[in-house]
Amino acid sequence: MKTVSAYAATSATEPLTKTTITRRDVGPHDVAFDIHFAGICHSDIHTVRGEWGEPAYPVVPGHEIAGIVTEVGSEVSKYKVGDRVGVGCFVDSCRDCESCRAGEEQYCTGGGMVGTYNAVGRDGEPTQGGYSGAIVVDENYVLRIPDSVGLDEAAPLLCAGITTYSPLRHWNAGPGKKVAVIGLGGLGHLAVKLAAAMGAEVTVMSQSLKKMEDGIRLGASDYRATSDRATFKELHGRFDLIINTVSANLNLADYLNLLKRDGTLVELGMPEHPMQVPAGSLIFGRRSISGSLIGGIAETQEMLDFCAEHDVRPEIEVITPDYINEAYERTIASDVRYRFVIDTASLR
Ligand code: NAP
Ligand code: ZN
Ligand code: ZN
C-alpha cells in the first residue's frame, strides 16, 4: 500500500481539507499512476454536499484524472511506465452484463459501475478520487491520452467531454442538425465545441448574455438569454436536439417547446429535486425527453482521439489544491470559464 496526500470532504457543510489516503498494492492487472491534474466537476459538489443522498464520508472527489504511469502489474498489456493516461467516472464494472459487453459499462446491470469515488471497489475498499497524488486502477478502465493533448486539458475531457460527446453521437449531431446547449459551464462549453466540430449548427442558451463572445468563439452561431422571455417565442420549434447541462431545476416545458417534431431534449444535469414535465409539451410534436450518463470506455477513447484530431480542448483555469473550496463557490455561482483543474503536484 502507498500513502498519498489528498483533499477530502468530511461532511456536507465543512470545507474540504488536506488529508492522507492509501492506495492498494498494484495487482497483476493494475496500472498505478501519479496524478498530475484533476478537474472539478459539478457532480463532485453535488456529491460532497449530500445533494444526491448522504455519501460515505470522508470523500475524496475527482473523476477527471490525468497523469503518468509509474508502475504496471505483471499481466498488464496495454500500458507501460511513462505512458500518459487518464481515468474518468468509473474504475470497474461487472464486465459480463449486456451493457458491459456492449461497451456501455456506465449502464452496467451486474451490480452497477464502480464509481471513481464514493463507491466500494471489488476489493471491498471504498474508492477515492482524483484530488490526490496517485491512483491504482485496473488497466481496462484506464484511457490513453493522445500526445497532442496536454494533461491539464485532458482532465475535463474524461467527464465533461465524454458526457457531452456521447449524446451528441447517439442523437446524430452533425451537418443539417440544429442543436441547443443550455448552460455554458464545464459540460456546456465542451458540448458547444464538440457539436460544432461534428458539423451541427449550435445555439447557446445561457441565463444572460454575459458570456456571448465566448460562446460564439467556442463555435455557436446563435446565443440567447433565458432570462428574456422573447427567447422562448423566437426559438419555438427550432431544434432537433437540446442538451441540458444545467445543474439546477428548469421549467422544462419552456424548453421542450423549442424542439421540432420528433426532437429530443437530453438531460445531463442532475439537480437535487425532480422537475415537472407537462404531457402536452411531449404529445404535441411527438417530442422526447431522455437522459444520458457519461460514456463507455471505448467511446471515451474515441472522444479523446476525436478531440486530438479536431483540435477540441476545454478552456481551463488551473488552480492549486488550497483553492478547491473557493473554486466550488465560484462554480456554484456560474463564475467558471470553463473548468477548474487542480494541479496536484503538491499532493504527490
Ligand atoms: P457547471 O460548470 O456548474 O455548469 C452548469 C451551468 O448551468 C452553469 O455554468 C450555468 O450556465 C447553468 N446554471 C447554473 N445554475 C443555474 C440556474 N439556477 N438556472 C439556470 N442555469 C443555471 O456544471 P457542470 O460540471 O457542467 O455539470 C452540470 C450538471 O451536469 C451537474 O448537475 C452535474 O452533476 C451534471 N453531470 C452529469 C453527468 C452525466 O453523466 N449525465 C456528467 C457530469 C456532470 P450559464 O451561466 O451559461 O447560465
Ligand atoms: Zn463529472
Ligand atoms: Zn456489467
Side-chain angles (χ1 to χ4, degrees):
M1 289 215 295
K2 183 183 171 189
T3 302
V4 289
S5 295
Y7 264 69
T10 51
S11 85
T13 49
E14 299 292 311
L16 278 73
T17 48
K18 195 170 178 182
T19 182
T20 56
I21 55 169
T22 53
R23 296 300 190 186
R24 67 172 181 256
D25 289 331
V26 175
H29 300 280
D30 284 340
V31 170
F33 67 93
D34 275 350
I35 298 173
H36 286 236
F37 294 97
I40 294 180
C41 177
H42 208 116
S43 301
D44 300 347
I45 303 173
H46 289 305
T47 303
V48 304
R49 302 217 166 165
E51 292 168 9
W52 293 341
E54 174 146 335
Y57 297 110
V59 178
V60 175
H63 57 207
E64 296 184 334
I65 310 172
I68 295 183
V69 176
T70 52
E71 190 181 345
V72 295
S74 55
E75 304 288 318
V76 168
S77 60
K78 295 180 183 160
Y79 299 102
K80 59 179 193 319
V81 171
D83 281 355
R84 304 164 80 250
V85 294
V87 162
C89 297
F90 57 94
V91 291
D92 214 334
S93 65
C94 86
R95 308 172 190 212
D96 194 37
C97 71
E98 209 175 309
S99 295
C100 283
R101 285 174 187 273
E104 304 264 28
E105 300 92 346
Q106 72 279 25
Y107 302 117
C108 174
T109 54
M113 66 174 186
V114 177
T116 302
Y117 60 82
N118 191 36
V120 176
R122 296 218 285 188
D123 54 6
E125 296 296 321
T127 58
Q128 299 289 10
Y131 301 3
S132 62
I135 194 167
V136 178
V137 179
D138 184 292
E139 68 167 331
N140 291 308
Y141 296 81
V142 173
L143 287 308
R144 181 176 300 283
I145 295 170
D147 287 341
S148 62
V149 182
L151 291 179
D152 50 353
E153 296 171 326
L157 297 177
L158 291 156
C159 174
I162 183 59
T163 300
T164 49
Y165 180 89
S166 185
L168 288 168
R169 278 282 187 240
H170 187 80
W171 279 278
N172 302 313
K177 291 284 174 72
K178 290 188 166 61
V179 176
V181 174
I182 317 175
L184 197 66
L187 267 60
H189 91 291
L190 278 167
V192 172
K193 285 195 166 197
L194 287 164
M198 290 174 192
E201 191 183 310
V202 187
T203 298
V204 174
M205 302 192 68
S206 182
Q207 293 166 94
S208 72
L209 296 180
K210 263 195 311 209
K211 295 179 278 191
M212 182 160 171
E213 259 178 48
D214 288 353
I216 302 298
R217 177 172 51 78
L218 296 169
S221 54
D222 197 0
Y223 198 105
R224 302 296 182 110
T226 55
S227 52
D228 181 357
R229 285 308 301 173
T231 293
F232 295 94
K233 269 200 182 135
E234 288 164 17
L235 300 184
H236 189 94
R238 175 156 318 182
F239 301 108
D240 298 284
L241 180 63
I242 299 178
I243 301 284
N244 182 14
T245 74
V246 173
S247 48
N249 282 26
L250 293 182
N251 181 9
L252 285 184
D254 282 345
Y255 295 88
L256 287 165
N257 289 332
L258 307 186
L259 289 170
K260 285 183 187 169
R261 171 172 53 79
D262 289 328
T264 304
L265 183 149
V266 182
E267 265 302 310
L268 297 182
M270 211 164 100
E272 184 175 4
H273 302 293
M275 288 184 278
Q276 288 195 334
V277 179
S281 57
L282 298 175
I283 291 169
F284 291 92
R286 198 165 51 195
R287 302 178 176 116
S288 303
I289 182 163
S290 188
S292 183
L293 178 64
I294 43 178
I297 294 294
E299 194 175 36
T300 304
Q301 190 63 57
E302 178 189 306
M303 176 276 308
L304 288 167
D305 298 340
F306 177 94
C307 288
E309 193 184 327
H310 293 85
D311 211 20
V312 173
R313 304 287 189 277
E315 309 224 334
I316 58 175
E317 182 172 339
V318 176
I319 61 168
T320 47
D322 54 3
Y323 192 76
I324 290 171
N325 294 298
E326 208 164 329
Y328 273 26
E329 294 308 326
R330 283 184 53 197
T331 300
I332 292 164
S334 302
D335 177 22
V336 51
R337 296 192 182 198
Y338 283 87
R339 197 58 140 187
F340 288 110
V341 172
I342 307 161
D343 177 342
T344 51
S346 66
L347 303 178
R348 289 200 291 277

